[in-house]
Structures are given as C-alpha cells and as structure tokens.
Amino acid sequence: MPTPRLGRAVLLVAAGLLLSAALVVFGRPDTGLAEATGDPLKLTNGFYVDPGSAAAAYVRRHPEDTELATKIAGQASARWFGMWSGDVKAGVAAYTMAADRAGKLPVLVADNLPGGPCGIGGGAASEAAYRAWIGGLSDGIGVRPAVVVLEPDALARLDCFPPAEWDGRIAMLKYAVGLLAVKNPNTWVYLDAGNVGSGDAKEIARRLRLADVGKVRGFALNTANYFTTAESVARGTAILQALGGGSHFIIDTSRNGNGSDGSSCNPPTRKLGTPPAVATSPVDLHLWLRTPGESDGPCGQTPTLPIRTFSPLLAHHLITGT
C-alpha cells in the first residue's frame, strides 16, 4: 500500500494524464507553460539531509567535531549525479525513496552533458548516451517529489564550444527539460543559468527560452559559486524581466556569506550562507547546491584536492569565514 504522501502524488499523476489526454482530444495548442502538476513543497515537510554526504561520513568518523556536524553535515545539501554515479536510475531511486520515506524533499543536480563545462572532459559519451542517462534519472525519480537543477554552466558557458555545436547542446537540454516536465509531475526543475558574472542577462534569457525553460519551474543561479544573495536576486530579476516573467528561480547560498572575491575555485575567506529555506518572491528557494567543504578542484586553498572531495579544512574555513 502506498504511503499517504506517495498516494497523493499518484493521484496528481493520474489527473495530469487525464488532462493531457483531454488536450489531445480537443486539439488545444501547446501553451509552453510548465507541465508539472504537483507542488513538491506541499508533498513534503522540509529538505532532505543526505546521510550519505561526504560531510556526514566525515562526522561519523569524527564525532568530536560537533561544529561541523551542526553547521554543515546537519544541513540539507544537494546530491550530484553524473558519469561517476554508476547506475543512475538505481542511485536516484534509492536517494528519492529514502527522502520520501522521511517525508523530506530531496535536491538533485544533474551534471552529465557531453564534454563537461567548457569542454574540459567528462559527461556522457554522446548525445544518445546523454538521452539514455537523463531518462534513467527521470525514471529514478518517478512520481516522488524532488527538486532538480539541470546541468550547471551548460547555458552560461556555451561560448566555450564551437558555434557549430551550440544547437546540439541546446537540443540535449531541451530534451531533458521536456522529459522531466512530462514524466516527473511532482518535481520542480530549474535550468542552470550561471551566476552574476555570466554575461548579459538578456542573452542568458534567450538561451533559457531556446531550452524551453517555460516548461519547467524556472532557473538556478550561483550554483557552486560565491556571489551574494542580494547580487543573485538582482541578476535573477534581470533575467526574469528579459524572459517577460512567468518563471521562478533559486539561489545557491551554500558558500556566499562573504560574497565572491572573483575566484570560483576554493578561494580563501569565504563563508557559509543562508541555510536551505523557502524564500520570498521572486526567489523560490535558497539551497545548498554544493556541500560546503567539498573541493571545487585542485586549486585555491587545496591545490591538490580533486573536485567534490570533502575537506574539513575547507569546511572550517567556511564556518569561520577566514
């Protein structure tokens, strides 16, 4: 027997399928509005604190570090999925099922576009492989409530790739958007839109439209970056205006307490930002899309630490802001 929460989600899916059938029968044109029918905030009670995070694993090994346990490991942060994740359907299903059993809202970051950011490598091997991968991620979520941030820097750093590849890359994002919008009715999807330093807001809005942002909840700002919330609100408002409204955005506040010093790679004297929370319009949510203490790569304060590797040194620097 399904839980009451999942039962509500199933009803929402059934209603959505009936509505879709009715639209086909009566020939109603596509409005471009969001297709997701459920509100994941109403189906859950707070954000999911991932017991499998690297910060949580560190605290289990070092229970004496109560400050890190409370201020970082005890906060909800996103889990990233990419080429390193193995069977993405199984991994996502296990993660979202655990969150659903707890009655909490999981946050996922999908990071597997071919070529990785700026062509540095990684990601799916081909467009076909990416489509299969994002299909697995979608199947793993199913009707369970979730938040998904889609492909950090894919639109903001499109210029890193030859212009001849742009249409293909946008087509993959458009495919992912359409798939998640139709198959995951209780998921809020946010296309990543870069950060305060990602060029002209009107150009970012144009790229968001090309990727069908109108079919999902909105866009994400400051993913794994350091710009202040106030700066990101101003940036998001400018993008919304360029879009003509009708969208929403979220901000990564995990490490933006002291703002940016111009570097996005383990810079010194940064600080934890606002803990994950429902925000006020025009922002949907403040989220920790990067677990504080995870490395941005072998650079900055930890020049030999691989990306996404947890460092208590980085974590405590973020706690103190030094």
Side-chain angles (χ1 to χ4, degrees):
M1 178 179 294
T3 64
R5 183 176 304 102
L6 188 53
R8 289 196 296 273
V10 171
L11 288 175
L12 285 168
V13 171
L17 291 174
L18 288 173
L19 177 59
S20 298
L23 293 179
V24 170
V25 169
F26 291 104
R28 180 175 170 178
D30 180 14
T31 64
L33 297 176
E35 297 179 31
T37 54
D39 181 342
L41 296 180
K42 293 180 180 178
L43 295 170
T44 54
N45 182 25
F47 298 106
Y48 183 54
V49 179
D50 183 3
S53 75
Y58 172 82
V59 167
R60 284 193 290 273
R61 297 192 302 271
H62 299 275
E64 72 282 359
D65 197 339
T66 56
E67 186 175 44
L68 196 152
T70 301
K71 295 186 177 180
I72 293 180
Q75 302 293 333
S77 58
R79 181 178 288 192
W80 289 52
F81 290 87
M83 63 178 296
W84 62 87
S85 301
D87 185 337
V88 67
K89 179 179 176 180
V92 168
Y95 182 59
T96 55
M97 286 174 65
D100 191 62
R101 285 193 295 268
K104 302 296 183 181
L105 180 60
V107 180
L108 299 77
V109 177
D111 184 25
N112 202 37
L113 212 64
C118 267
I120 61 174
S126 65
E127 180 177 343
Y130 181 75
R131 289 180 178 232
W133 184 87
I134 200 69
L137 184 140
S138 173
D139 289 342
I141 296 171
V143 299
R144 287 181 288 274
V147 168
V148 172
V149 174
L150 194 57
E151 299 300 335
D153 284 333
L155 288 173
R157 305 184 76 179
L158 190 62
D159 311 73
C160 293
F161 294 86
E165 297 182 16
W166 291 10
D167 287 349
R169 297 185 71 77
I170 289 175
M172 284 185 277
L173 291 172
K174 189 173 181 178
Y175 177 83
V177 163
L179 184 73
L180 293 165
V182 170
K183 291 183 65 177
N184 306 106
N186 299 308
T187 294
W188 278 356
V189 177
Y190 298 89
L191 263 169
D192 191 83
N195 55 63
V196 170
S198 296
D200 182 63
K202 291 181 180 179
E203 172 60 17
I204 294 297
R206 186 186 73 84
R207 296 178 186 184
L208 286 167
R209 281 195 297 269
L210 289 174
D212 278 350
V213 71
K215 289 187 176 181
V216 291
R217 181 70 182 179
F219 57 93
L221 291 173
N222 204 47
T223 302
N225 218 297
Y226 298 85
F227 292 99
T228 66
T229 300
E231 290 173 312
S232 296
V233 168
R235 173 71 171 184
T237 301
I239 293 173
L240 282 177
Q241 290 173 345
L243 286 171
S247 192
H248 308 262
F249 66 96
I250 60 173
I251 298 170
D252 183 353
T253 60
S254 57
R255 306 178 297 181
N256 73 346
N258 281 346
S260 173
D261 69 349
S263 170
S264 60
C265 208
N266 302 327
T269 65
R270 302 306 95 197
K271 194 174 184 179
L272 298 177
T274 303
V278 177
T280 56
S281 181
V283 186
D284 271 350
L285 307 166
H286 293 150
L287 296 176
W288 283 12
L289 299 180
R290 176 73 83 198
T291 300
E294 286 188 354
S295 174
D296 297 317
C299 53
Q301 295 184 95
T302 51
T304 62
L305 198 65
I307 190 169
R308 287 184 297 274
T309 303
F310 184 78
S311 164
L313 173 69
L314 288 177
H316 280 285
H317 276 307
L318 288 166
I319 289 171
T320 61
T322 60

